[in-house]
Amino acid sequence: LSIALVSTLREIFSGKPLYRLSGLRFALITEQSAEELLPSIDRLLERYKEPFKLAGTTLTLTPVMCIVEAPDSAGYLEDVTNAIQDALSEAQQTDSDPHIVRSGEASLIRRRRESAICHVLKRAIQKEEFVIHYQPIYSVRERRFVAAEALLRLSEKSLGDISPAEFIPIAEKTGIMPQISRIVIEQVCAFIATNRLWEKGIRHIGINLTSPECVNDLLPAEATRIMDRYHIPCNMINFEVTEPAIQDNLKQFPEIISDMSALGTGFTLDAFSSAFSEKGIVFTAPFRQVKLSKAFLDSSMNSETKRTLLKHTISLFHDLNLEIIAVGVETREQAEELSMYGCHYFQGYYYSLPLPEMDLLNIFQ
């Protein structure tokens, strides 16, 4: 098939250097402009409307094409191959015909930043340079802070503060997220044990699980080993999982959550919005809590229809014996209204920003 495709490309783009990148991916190098290439692209598209017949098999192929304008500041082959990969990825997601995407300087800058962040992450793993802040969770009934969520922070001198929304997807893509998760669990357990938080009336510390961790068969054993080493009760750790992360791993996740729930470890469905999962995750998994997302709460405050939906959602969770945490509470009025609807706990800037360990201990005490 590769030979047949090469023959077609050489016929249509005669005289231009042709390179095989990998599999059935090829690159043509030309000094022609995108406009000058359009007639040849049209010919190629017409050719792909016909099936390829190979060894008695008829194949119909759909080409995905992009035009990459090599950035002026590209100094390495990796810069060009990254630009090609970005353009191909974007072309695969567009419905335009033909699929033509220009990739240039912006792609180069983004890829270089990703590479720099990946380097910082790997160094942070080796030297355990991650910093954890904690945002306390307030109990409406008890009128005090009873828990907290661990929030990973990463900073580097030349890059400054790097948002988790930026570095976590990079960690997932490069396969180093399990290592980071182990470090977080280790640091949180050490913090709990050193300060014996259960004696201060603190129920648990929440740790976020990313999509790769939801299919990590080693997670229950590793988490249990770490908790045993620090001699902390298993119920002092509460894992928080978003619905999309679960939906990506519907087969493996139930086994993991069941194993850990049996040990006493809690689970929270994080960032719940107004859309119920068609898989019924919230009804079937042994969650103890549900966190209502800030976006869901904010939109409900501005619409009577959505406010009604919010009230019924909270009522449903009450019927399921789930504790309800409202996330992103920023005003007294918002807190009072949500309390009236039946939310059990609040987490947000109105009560506290994410805090370093010592500041959190001062609040707990």
Side-chain angles (χ1 to χ4, degrees):
L1 182 57
S2 293
I3 294 171
L5 297 180
V6 167
S7 176
T8 301
L9 290 169
R10 282 180 172 163
E11 175 189 340
I12 295 175
F13 297 94
S14 177
K16 296 178 178 61
L18 174 65
Y19 296 88
R20 179 171 177 265
L21 300 178
S22 65
L24 299 179
R25 297 196 308 160
F26 300 89
L28 287 155
I29 310 299
T30 177
E31 294 184 2
Q32 287 182 288
S33 66
E35 289 69 24
E36 292 173 319
L37 286 170
L38 286 178
S40 297
I41 290 174
D42 288 339
R43 283 185 60 196
L44 189 61
L45 286 171
E46 284 297 319
R47 172 63 186 88
Y48 274 99
K49 289 180 180 178
E50 303 173 15
F52 285 81
K53 293 184 179 180
L54 298 169
T57 303
T58 300
L59 302 172
T60 301
L61 305 177
T62 302
V64 177
M65 291 179 284
C66 60
I67 294 175
V68 180
E69 296 171 346
D72 293 336
S73 58
Y76 304 94
L77 178 60
E78 183 182 12
D79 291 337
V80 178
T81 55
N82 283 339
I84 292 172
Q85 183 56 49
D86 286 348
L88 280 174
S89 297
E90 186 175 343
Q92 288 172 326
Q93 297 171 15
T94 183
D95 294 328
S96 62
D97 189 15
H99 302 301
I100 300 175
V101 180
R102 290 174 174 81
S103 178
E105 198 70 27
S107 172
L108 177 62
I109 293 171
R110 180 177 60 80
R111 279 286 194 154
R112 284 181 173 173
R113 179 170 174 82
E114 282 187 7
S115 179
I117 291 174
C118 185
H119 176 74
V120 172
L121 285 169
K122 290 179 179 178
R123 188 183 65 195
I125 289 173
Q126 291 175 349
K127 299 184 178 181
E128 297 193 3
E129 294 176 337
F130 290 103
V131 174
I132 297 177
H133 284 187
Y134 298 85
Q135 188 167 31
I137 296 172
Y138 183 82
S139 168
V140 176
R141 184 175 61 84
E142 299 174 63
R143 296 186 178 183
R144 68 180 183 90
F145 293 111
V146 296
E149 178 184 356
L151 300 168
L152 196 59
R153 295 291 182 259
L154 183 66
S155 183
E156 200 270 340
K157 186 175 181 181
S158 61
L159 298 177
D161 293 333
I162 307 169
S163 167
E166 186 176 19
F167 72 74
I168 287 179
I170 295 173
E172 290 181 351
K173 185 166 65 174
T174 53
I176 59 177
M177 198 62 222
Q179 295 170 269
I180 296 174
S181 295
R182 281 193 291 273
I183 292 173
V184 172
I185 295 172
E186 185 94 28
Q187 289 189 19
V188 170
C189 287
F191 172 60
I192 293 172
T194 300
N195 299 283
R196 301 183 68 81
L197 293 185
W198 59 90
E199 295 180 354
K200 295 177 171 60
I202 304 306
R203 301 204 181 112
H204 64 255
I205 300 294
I207 298 176
N208 291 288
L209 286 185
T210 61
S211 185
E213 288 303 285
C214 289
V215 291
N216 184 359
D217 294 334
L218 300 177
L219 177 65
E222 290 181 352
T224 303
R225 175 179 52 79
I226 295 172
M227 287 186 279
D228 287 345
R229 189 165 73 247
Y230 285 97
H231 304 290
I232 67 170
C234 289
N235 60 8
M236 287 300 297
I237 295 295
N238 193 80
F239 288 111
E240 302 186 7
V241 192
T242 63
E243 197 164 0
I246 303 170
Q247 287 175 325
D248 290 341
N249 309 286
L250 281 173
K251 291 184 178 179
Q252 298 93 328
F253 181 70
E255 296 179 9
I256 291 175
I257 189 172
S258 296
D259 290 345
M260 300 198 70
S261 294
L263 298 172
T265 304
F267 281 83
T268 295
L269 180 61
D270 193 14
F272 182 89
S273 64
S274 57
F276 289 106
S277 165
E278 63 180 16
K279 301 293 184 181
I281 293 169
V282 70
F283 304 106
T284 57
F287 289 110
R288 296 180 183 176
Q289 300 175 323
V290 173
K291 281 190 172 183
L292 304 180
S293 71
K294 184 179 186 304
F296 182 26
L297 296 177
D298 288 347
S299 65
S300 299
M301 296 295 108
N302 300 319
S303 164
E304 197 58 42
T305 301
K306 291 183 178 180
R307 185 180 271 106
T308 301
L309 175 61
L310 173 63
K311 292 177 185 177
H312 285 288
T313 300
I314 292 173
S315 177
L316 171 64
F317 290 148
H318 275 292
D319 291 342
L320 294 172
N321 293 319
L322 291 169
E323 296 179 338
I324 304 161
I325 304 174
V327 177
V329 178
E330 296 182 348
T331 66
R332 178 179 179 178
E333 293 73 23
Q334 198 178 20
E336 289 176 347
E337 185 171 350
L338 290 168
S339 177
M340 184 174 61
Y341 294 161
C343 288
H344 302 103
Y345 304 96
F346 293 139
Q347 179 180 346
Y349 289 173
Y350 176 66
Y351 291 94
S352 175
L353 297 170
L355 301 169
E357 289 183 359
M358 293 308 300
D359 292 341
L360 181 72
L361 289 174
N362 289 335
I363 280 187
F364 281 163
Q365 291 169 349

